[in-house]
Amino acid sequence: MAEDQGSGNGDHQERRRRQRFVAKRWGQVCFWVVINGQRLPLNDLSLEGFSLSAGVPPFGSGAFPFVLQIEGVPDEIRGMAEGMNFVFGEEGGLFGCRFLSFEDDGAGRLHDWLTVHVIATATVRISEKDAAAIVTGPSLI
């Protein structure tokens, strides 16, 4: 796991190829991850990975099991991820992880979750087809 101890002013290199989505809906966290039995709110989520706030890098390098949860829905997505970077910022650290594998149809369900999330949070009317294209499209950041 690479560690960036820079000033937190955004001078780290973006690694994601896919669009990432803020893990909030109407101001409330809607995506969570369970790691080592601890349920943690996500900062953002994409088809490639996720990030979460952390005061210090919470895990060593290497793969770890995760469980993704969406608020108010009994569905879960399980798999393996690995830490990619840790960036110190003004409000603490941000731990970025990438997905290594999913159990069962987890990748497809994550795509569905994010498509619904795009539709629900869009400020203009958007079709399911357009939302799916945004989810699988390139990062706009």
Side-chain angles (χ1 to χ4, degrees):
M1 175 176 67
E3 183 170 311
D4 178 351
Q5 295 183 4
S7 63
N9 61 6
D11 54 356
H12 65 282
Q13 182 178 358
E14 175 59 43
R15 295 183 180 150
R16 294 192 200 177
R17 296 182 319 262
R18 302 272 186 225
Q19 183 62 35
R20 64 174 133 177
F21 303 93
V22 174
K24 290 186 177 184
R25 194 176 295 161
W26 306 295
Q28 300 294 314
V29 173
C30 61
F31 294 111
W32 300 79
V33 66
V34 178
I35 303 171
N36 293 333
Q38 196 173 18
R39 187 175 192 239
L40 305 163
L42 291 183
N43 181 61
D44 63 54
L45 180 62
S46 76
L47 293 177
E48 295 177 324
F50 58 88
S51 71
L52 58 128
S53 297
V56 296
F59 316 106
S61 61
F64 59 87
F66 69 86
V67 179
L68 291 177
Q69 299 175 336
I70 187 167
E71 193 67 36
V73 177
D75 193 19
E76 293 183 334
I77 297 173
R78 296 176 178 273
M80 295 294 291
E82 71 176 338
M84 293 303 292
N85 61 4
F86 183 82
V87 180
F88 286 108
E90 294 175 16
E91 298 178 17
L94 193 62
F95 183 52
C97 303
R98 76 176 174 123
F99 297 123
L100 296 174
S101 64
F102 294 97
E103 289 182 9
D104 304 320
D105 63 342
R109 289 196 337 264
L110 176 59
H111 182 274
D112 292 347
W113 283 12
L114 290 173
T115 299
V116 170
H117 183 65
V118 168
I119 292 168
T121 58
T123 56
V124 296
R125 189 176 186 141
I126 186 169
S127 72
E128 183 176 344
K129 180 180 176 183
D130 289 340
I134 291 168
V135 169
T136 58
S139 177
L140 302 174
I141 297 174

